[in-house]
Amino acid sequence: FLSTSGGGGVIQDSASSASLCAMIAARERATAGESNRRGVREDVVVYTSTEAHSSIRKAARIIGIGDENVRLIPVDDDFAMRPDALDRAVREDREAGRTPFFISATTGTTSSLAMDPLREIGALARADGLWMHVDAAMAGTAAVCPEFRWIHDGLEYADSYCFNPHKWMFTSFDCDAFYVSDRAALTRALGIMPEYLRTDVARSAGADANKQADSEAVTRAAVDFRDWQIPLGRRFRSLKLWFVLRHYGERGLRHHVREHVRLARRFSNRIEEEPGFVLLAPTSLNLVCFAHERGDDFTERLMAEVNRTGRLFVSHTRMNGRFAIRMCVGQTTTAERHADAAFDAFRETALRLTE
């Protein structure tokens, strides 16, 4: 992913845009550029888990793949993608004459922060020649701490990767860090060279104003980020990220991430010990998913009542069909007293609702 090699990174607005760009590059690699020239004329297939972010399906719609060519792979008891089910789906599509081309694995799913097994998925992708994208939008920041870098085990297999500093790295929206292992594959898919954009560097690289740019030659000569994204123009997103890195530094970022994980686990342990409450997913980092044993209607009412107090705000999801409350710890000023107050709010509200 280093720009000193064949890869590199660029700041996008969101993980949705990063995944879209990755999927376009993967499509063009799989079809040898024919999709850009003639449109999508074959069944090319995308794979991701049932727990993946909806932006993967949206990207497939935008670039002409369509919902019917997106395979939602089943997950295990911890809500992580099952490599055996992925392998079976890829083989079935090949046997049916379709072209598998893109796998999106997730490091920290939206609903529960589940971790897909990157090493197993990556080995399958490499063996079958599929592009592997890793979406670490929320959880990627945890890797600033050495003890949490297990979340990236197998990342060396990835063709592209993204995470959002605007989520857990305290940077204001919007800011996504998007990396590719082969930048020429990306610029080849997205690069167009009209005369009004042709520079001296492009001329020296042999770019023709009447044709699509020789992206590889131009990329070797200079990095032009307009060919790394959907829009032509770019905002100055790097400045706000630089300020965050400058202010907190390595030690500051690690301190906050570790504290958030500690507080989430403290909250999780108290939920697990409290009669009437149940955890619905493992607490991997800073997200706790739980419910009340009285069922979905009671859990939903409990969440609404707690949110109505204005003391905290939590969101929800569904896990194996059950309504789940999502408690996420991620602000720099959040302290132990806040986590304890959140637990007390749920416990006291549940007792009041059962009277």
Side-chain angles (χ1 to χ4, degrees):
F1 295 144
L2 295 177
S3 58
T4 51
S5 68
V10 61
I11 296 178
Q12 301 273 6
D13 58 357
S14 64
S16 298
S17 292
S19 299
L20 173 62
C21 291
M23 196 179 294
I24 293 172
R27 183 195 65 187
E28 292 313 294
R29 189 178 76 174
T31 63
E34 284 301 303
S35 294
N36 267 352
R37 284 190 288 271
R38 305 173 60 198
V40 180
R41 298 193 177 189
E42 57 184 292
D43 287 332
V44 288
V45 188
V46 170
Y47 304 85
T48 195
S49 86
T50 56
E51 294 292 308
H53 194 269
S54 60
S55 59
I56 303 303
R57 290 179 61 194
K58 181 179 285 189
R61 289 180 177 182
I62 291 171
I63 71 169
I65 304 301
D67 287 348
E68 291 186 359
N69 284 328
V70 177
R71 305 287 179 261
L72 300 180
I73 305 302
V75 295
D76 61 20
D77 292 340
D78 292 335
F79 301 98
M81 189 193 300
R82 287 172 42 201
D84 63 316
L86 173 63
D87 183 48
R88 184 165 56 251
V90 170
R91 292 180 184 278
E92 289 174 355
D93 279 322
R94 287 203 188 281
E95 291 171 1
R98 292 181 280 269
T99 303
F101 81 102
F102 184 85
I103 300 172
S104 180
T106 310
T107 295
T109 58
T110 303
S111 284
S112 66
L113 224 59
M115 307 292 171
D116 287 344
L118 303 186
R119 186 164 299 280
E120 292 86 346
I121 294 171
L124 188 156
R126 184 163 296 180
D128 285 342
L130 279 66
W131 183 292
M132 179 183 172
H133 176 65
V134 176
D135 176 3
M138 172 60 186
T141 295
V144 300
C145 300
E147 65 270 30
F148 299 137
R149 288 179 187 160
W150 57 267
I151 68 173
H152 286 155
D153 179 50
L155 188 61
E156 63 269 24
Y157 286 103
D159 294 283
S160 54
Y161 169 87
C162 69
F163 85 100
N164 288 345
H166 70 228
K167 282 192 166 69
W168 200 5
M169 200 176 271
F170 322 130
T171 305
S172 59
F173 187 83
D174 50 16
C175 186
D176 169 88
F178 174 50
Y179 298 88
V180 289
S181 63
D182 177 11
R183 61 180 178 266
L186 183 65
T187 59
R188 191 184 307 118
L190 296 176
I192 297 177
M193 182 63 71
E195 180 61 34
Y196 52 80
L197 293 177
R198 195 155 64 114
T199 64
D200 291 341
V201 171
R203 289 189 186 91
S204 64
D208 189 331
N210 299 314
K211 300 177 182 178
Q212 181 169 328
D214 180 350
S215 298
E216 292 184 62
V218 174
T219 297
R220 285 194 299 269
V223 174
D224 193 335
F225 286 121
R226 67 182 172 81
D227 293 332
W228 294 54
Q229 60 181 27
I230 302 303
L232 177 62
R234 293 178 54 76
R235 295 175 55 199
F236 190 12
R237 295 184 178 93
S238 60
L239 182 61
K240 58 188 175 185
L241 177 58
W242 182 87
F243 274 122
V244 169
L245 298 176
R246 181 72 172 173
H247 175 74
Y248 291 102
E250 180 182 87
R251 291 176 59 188
L253 291 173
R254 288 176 176 174
H255 163 77
H256 284 295
V257 168
R258 286 167 176 153
E259 181 66 0
H260 293 162
V261 173
R262 185 186 74 84
L263 294 178
R265 289 174 179 171
R266 177 182 174 86
F267 182 89
S268 177
N269 290 338
R270 298 191 71 185
I271 286 290
E272 193 170 25
E273 294 167 357
E274 181 69 19
F277 287 92
V278 58
L279 291 176
L280 297 184
T283 302
S284 60
L285 291 170
N286 66 330
L287 179 67
V288 184
C289 297
F290 64 100
H292 199 278
E293 64 182 13
R294 284 178 172 261
D296 287 355
D297 291 342
F298 187 90
T299 302
E300 187 170 3
R301 185 182 174 194
L302 172 63
M303 184 188 75
E305 289 291 323
V306 169
N307 282 343
R308 192 173 291 119
T309 68
R311 295 167 60 191
L312 69 153
F313 181 83
V314 293
S315 60
H316 81 282
T317 188
R318 284 194 176 271
M319 311 194 69
N320 287 331
R322 296 185 64 177
F323 188 95
I325 297 172
R326 300 170 66 253
M327 169 74 179
C328 185
V329 184
Q331 291 300 324
T332 57
T333 55
T334 302
E336 186 171 295
R337 60 187 173 87
H338 299 117
D340 289 347
F343 172 79
D344 291 340
F346 282 109
R347 180 184 59 186
E348 293 165 6
T349 304
L351 290 173
R352 177 172 56 81
L353 293 177
T354 55
E355 291 177 351

